[in-house]
Amino acid sequence: MTLPAKALEALDVFTAAGGWEQRARLLMQWGERLEALSDAERSDANRVHGCESQVWLVAERQGERWHFRAGSDARLIRGLLAVLLARVDGLEGGELAGIDLADWFNQLGLGRQLSPSRSNGLNAVLKKMRELSL
């Protein structure tokens, strides 16, 4: 499967980073680039359960492809969401099923920094994406 352009950009930027501190700064910057969610979109219906932080996910179908927007009350989580969205944006529903989250974050050099609760939360986000795309 070929990577979306944003995913290739994330891979270039994060693999070039010198260490965790640099990657953490990059995550904060990427998190600031997320499309803002409206107050109405920050509803319980769009909330992803299974995350320690508050996370909201909105899906929009564009033809056969999916565009997701997400937000969180936690800065680091916004960054992690941004690189997750970079990986899945524009995919078809069936392609979402093939995403290996752990592998993606390992490729970015972020796998070791994902605590079990963050990892569970991101898996909950991906699971919700898959459910929305059915």
Side-chain angles (χ1 to χ4, degrees):
M1 177 189 308
T2 57
L3 291 175
K6 284 183 185 173
L8 291 171
E9 179 191 349
L11 213 45
D12 286 347
V13 171
F14 280 87
T15 54
W20 167 240
E21 282 183 21
Q22 234 182 327
R23 286 190 187 101
R25 270 196 304 278
L26 281 169
L27 278 173
M28 302 297 177
Q29 291 168 358
W30 276 63
E32 289 167 12
R33 292 165 39 173
L34 283 176
E35 292 176 59
L37 296 179
S38 69
D39 288 341
E41 289 173 323
R42 287 175 174 262
S43 67
D44 202 50
N46 292 331
R47 182 128 183 256
V48 178
H49 298 281
C51 299
E52 278 185 13
S53 305
Q54 291 201 351
V55 173
W56 298 272
L57 180 70
V58 177
E60 297 163 359
R61 190 178 188 139
Q62 298 171 340
E64 291 297 309
R65 305 201 171 276
W66 286 90
H67 175 66
F68 295 97
R69 292 181 303 125
S72 174
D73 58 352
R75 285 183 71 196
L76 188 66
I77 300 302
R78 282 196 299 269
L80 293 169
L81 287 169
V83 294
L84 172 59
L85 293 179
R87 177 64 186 87
V88 301
D89 196 49
L91 296 182
E92 294 180 12
E95 293 173 308
L96 282 169
I99 299 294
D100 181 336
L101 206 59
D103 181 59
W104 173 238
F105 282 98
N106 285 335
Q107 285 180 54
L108 294 170
L110 298 169
R112 286 198 316 268
Q113 279 74 32
L114 283 183
S115 64
S117 66
R118 282 193 189 126
S119 194
N120 288 341
L122 289 166
N123 276 307
V125 172
L126 185 59
K127 183 175 180 239
K128 180 141 180 155
M129 288 175 172
R130 289 173 175 154
E131 288 167 4
L132 291 170
S133 69
L134 291 176

